[in-house]
Structure formats: structure tokens, C-alpha cells
Amino acid sequence: MMSNHSSATEFCLLGFSGSHELHYILFAVFFLFYSVTIISNMVIIVIVSVDKRLQSPMYFFLGHLSALEIMITSLIVPAMLWGLLLPGMQTISLAACVAQLFLYLALGTTEFALVGAMAVDRYVAVCNPLRYNTIMNSQTCISVVIGSWVFGFLSEIWPVYATFQFTFCKSNILDHFFCERGQLLKLSCDNTLFTEFILFLMAVFIIIGSLAPTIVSYTYIISTILKIPTASGRRKAFSTCASHFTFVVIGYSSCLFLYVKPKQTQAAEYNKIVSLLISVLTPFLNPFIFTLRNDKVQEALRDGVKHSCQLLKD
């Protein structure tokens, strides 16, 4: 415990409870997930960059989405793995805690903006196919990506600044595996209710705001698909959106549970589970969601493997 008149200059992360044996099992599972996440997302970035068949707005956005997934999971998982191997609590300085929370929220917000843009891209592809190349030209795509990154980082400056204006004098023990905002606010001796309410409104604006174009886009997409006379035509049209729609359901549902609630200081175990979904499971599933249901990506992967095998033989 700390003095009522001083604020923490470093935090101790409790991480996961349980025996050393359980920690070793969790380490093995999360290390496997992390390794597959990094490798598979890197593969997507490479094939999108080099394969001419994938030089379209959808795959351009997918490459940036994979880069975001790598950064988000790399921000959290390596330190979490280190904590599972070492006995006792990990310490993190106040400056490192600020940086980690800011980057985590900024990258997540950028991802939401990009996913919303991808929904609009799918709307144009299905509902205005003849004008697709005109509307979604390279200049538009680059502007959308830059706008997503700028919006993501600028929108999280005040929330993180407001979080660290409080005095953390109850304790410096953080019941989480990273500097999660809700658990930080629990350590404050100040009244955080008003700030928590403002943070709630901002989370609503960011998450629901990026979800709105997705909902509108898919309303028009479904309406257009239902008007296609043949079953094969409907399946082909829906297949172009299925991967993105699946990612939206998984990504948004977990973040809605974690951030869109009036009180940020939820139970620690609840926050840990949802944080794992966001920082471990979603980045792990992303490559499989976008490759298993995408013929062009599968074809590019097969050709890449064949080409690599030929180079090894030579």
C-alpha cells in the first residue's frame, strides 16, 4: 500500500493467478497463438504487397489491418509471456504504462476506423461494381488509410491524458497483465465518475461511430444480394463480404463488452478475459478469417509456396 499523499511512479502487474504449472500451460498456448499470429499476418502483408492479383483496395486495406494486428498483439503478449515465466509480479514504470495504454487504444481505434472503411469498400464493390475502380482509386485508398491512422492517434490523446491526471495512491498493484484503463482507475483516490462517463461517451462515439457505416453498408449489400436472380450469383456476391462481416462480429462484440459501459472499473477477471479476446484471439483468427474464405488469397498462397519450393530445389 502507498501513502495517501503520493502517487505511484511504477506499477506491479499481477498477471494471471494459479500455480506455476498452469502458468507454463498458459505460456505454451499464448506463445503458440502469438507465433502463428505474427507469421500468418506477415505472410498476408507480403503476398498483398508482391502479388499483382491482390493489388486492389480490399487487399490494400487487409494489409494494413494485418499490420495493426501485429502491432496490437506485440504490444501486449511478449510482456505477458515474460510474466508467466517469471515468479512474482512484473513492474512497469509510469511512463511505460502511459505509452502502452496510449498505443493500445490508438491502434485499436485506428483498426475500427479501417474496418468501417472496408465495409464501405464492400458496399461499393457489390452495389456499384461498374464505378468501383473510379470511386475506390489509389488516391482514395491512401487517404482513407492515412485518415484512419491520424484519427486513431489523435482521438486517444485526451482519454489517456485524463486517465493519468488522477492520483494513484490506493496501491500500485495492478490486477491485470498490462496497463488496462479500468484497473488503473480503481487505484485512484480521486472521484473518477465524471471522467469515466466522458470516456464512456467517447467509446460510444468511436465504436458505434465506426460501426454505423458498417451497418448501413451491409443493409444495402444484403438488399442488393437478395435481388440477384441466381443462387450462384448470390453466393459469389456474399463471399466477397463474408470474411469482413465475420471479423466485424468478433472484433466489435469483444470491444463493446470491454469499453462501451458507463463504469470502466469492471471486475479484473472479466477485463482479463475480454482483453485476451482483443489482443490474442482476434489477431490470431484474422488471417484465417480472410484466407480460408478467399479464393484469390488461397491461390496466391499456393503459388507462393510452389515458387518457394522451386527456388529451394534450384
Side-chain angles (χ1 to χ4, degrees):
M1 297 294 291
M2 300 177 59
S3 166
N4 289 334
H5 302 289
S6 62
S7 185
T9 56
E10 69 174 16
F11 298 97
C12 297
L13 302 175
L14 282 181
F16 296 94
S17 58
S19 64
H20 291 305
E21 289 75 14
L22 176 61
H23 284 191
Y24 295 146
I25 293 171
L26 290 176
F27 175 85
V29 171
F30 293 148
F31 180 76
L32 175 64
F33 273 48
Y34 179 65
S35 301
V36 173
T37 297
I38 298 300
I39 294 170
S40 54
N41 277 291
M42 283 297 297
V43 168
I44 286 182
I45 293 171
V46 170
I47 63 171
V48 165
S49 301
V50 302
D51 197 297
K52 293 182 180 179
R53 289 167 295 186
L54 303 181
Q55 303 299 308
S56 70
M58 176 182 174
Y59 301 107
F60 177 72
F61 294 141
L62 177 57
H64 281 270
L65 184 64
S66 291
L68 282 165
E69 297 286 30
I70 290 173
M71 285 185 274
I72 289 171
T73 195
S74 295
L75 190 64
I76 304 299
V77 176
M80 181 179 71
L81 292 173
W82 189 250
L84 287 169
L85 285 182
L86 293 178
M89 293 179 289
Q90 280 187 297
T91 59
I92 182 171
S93 68
L94 180 63
C97 190
V98 173
Q100 187 183 55
L101 181 61
F102 174 71
L103 289 172
Y104 180 74
L105 294 176
L107 292 170
T109 303
T110 302
E111 185 173 74
F112 280 128
L114 192 59
V115 169
M118 291 174 74
V120 176
D121 170 72
R122 293 299 84 207
Y123 158 74
V124 178
V126 174
C127 301
N128 294 283
L130 297 179
R131 299 180 58 204
Y132 180 72
N133 291 329
T134 304
I135 297 173
M136 301 301 297
N137 56 57
S138 59
Q139 186 176 355
T140 300
C141 294
I142 292 170
S143 299
V144 166
V145 167
I146 292 174
S148 297
W149 282 89
V150 171
F151 172 73
F153 277 75
L154 289 182
S155 64
E156 293 300 338
I157 292 176
W158 185 86
V160 174
Y161 171 80
T163 299
F164 287 95
Q165 288 305 296
F166 294 115
T167 303
F168 303 108
C169 56
K170 287 182 179 178
S171 170
N172 70 333
I173 298 175
L174 201 61
D175 192 3
H176 214 289
F177 50 83
F178 78 105
C179 282
E180 198 270 330
R181 183 168 61 198
Q183 298 309 305
L184 277 168
L185 294 176
K186 275 188 173 183
L187 305 183
S188 175
C189 299
D190 306 316
N191 187 344
T192 64
L193 287 177
F194 178 73
T195 299
E196 286 186 53
F197 180 67
I198 299 299
L199 293 174
F200 163 72
L201 292 180
M202 293 190 70
V204 170
F205 172 75
I206 291 170
I207 297 178
I208 304 300
S210 62
L211 186 59
T214 303
I215 294 172
V216 173
S217 295
Y218 275 102
T219 301
Y220 282 104
I221 287 169
I222 293 170
S223 175
T224 301
I225 290 174
L226 292 176
K227 292 176 184 177
I228 297 175
T230 62
S232 61
R234 288 193 294 270
R235 281 195 300 271
K236 184 177 179 181
F238 184 73
S239 67
T240 65
C241 309
S243 300
H244 177 264
F245 183 77
T246 305
F247 181 84
V248 165
V249 172
I250 296 173
Y252 276 92
S253 57
S254 54
C255 284
L256 284 169
F257 280 117
L258 186 59
Y259 294 114
V260 184
K261 56 184 188 290
K263 191 166 180 60
Q264 297 286 311
T265 51
Q266 286 278 58
E269 295 305 317
Y270 171 91
N271 278 2
K272 287 179 188 178
I273 292 171
V274 182
S275 296
L276 284 173
L277 290 176
I278 296 170
S279 58
V280 178
L281 187 61
T282 303
F284 171 78
L285 291 176
N286 172 41
F288 301 101
I289 291 171
F290 283 100
T291 57
L292 291 177
R293 304 180 65 93
N294 192 298
D295 293 335
K296 284 187 176 181
V297 175
Q298 291 176 17
E299 188 178 343
L301 282 171
R302 283 194 297 268
D303 291 348
V305 170
K306 289 178 182 177
H307 184 65
S308 299
C309 291
Q310 287 175 353
L311 289 176
L312 289 174
K313 288 179 181 179
D314 297 339

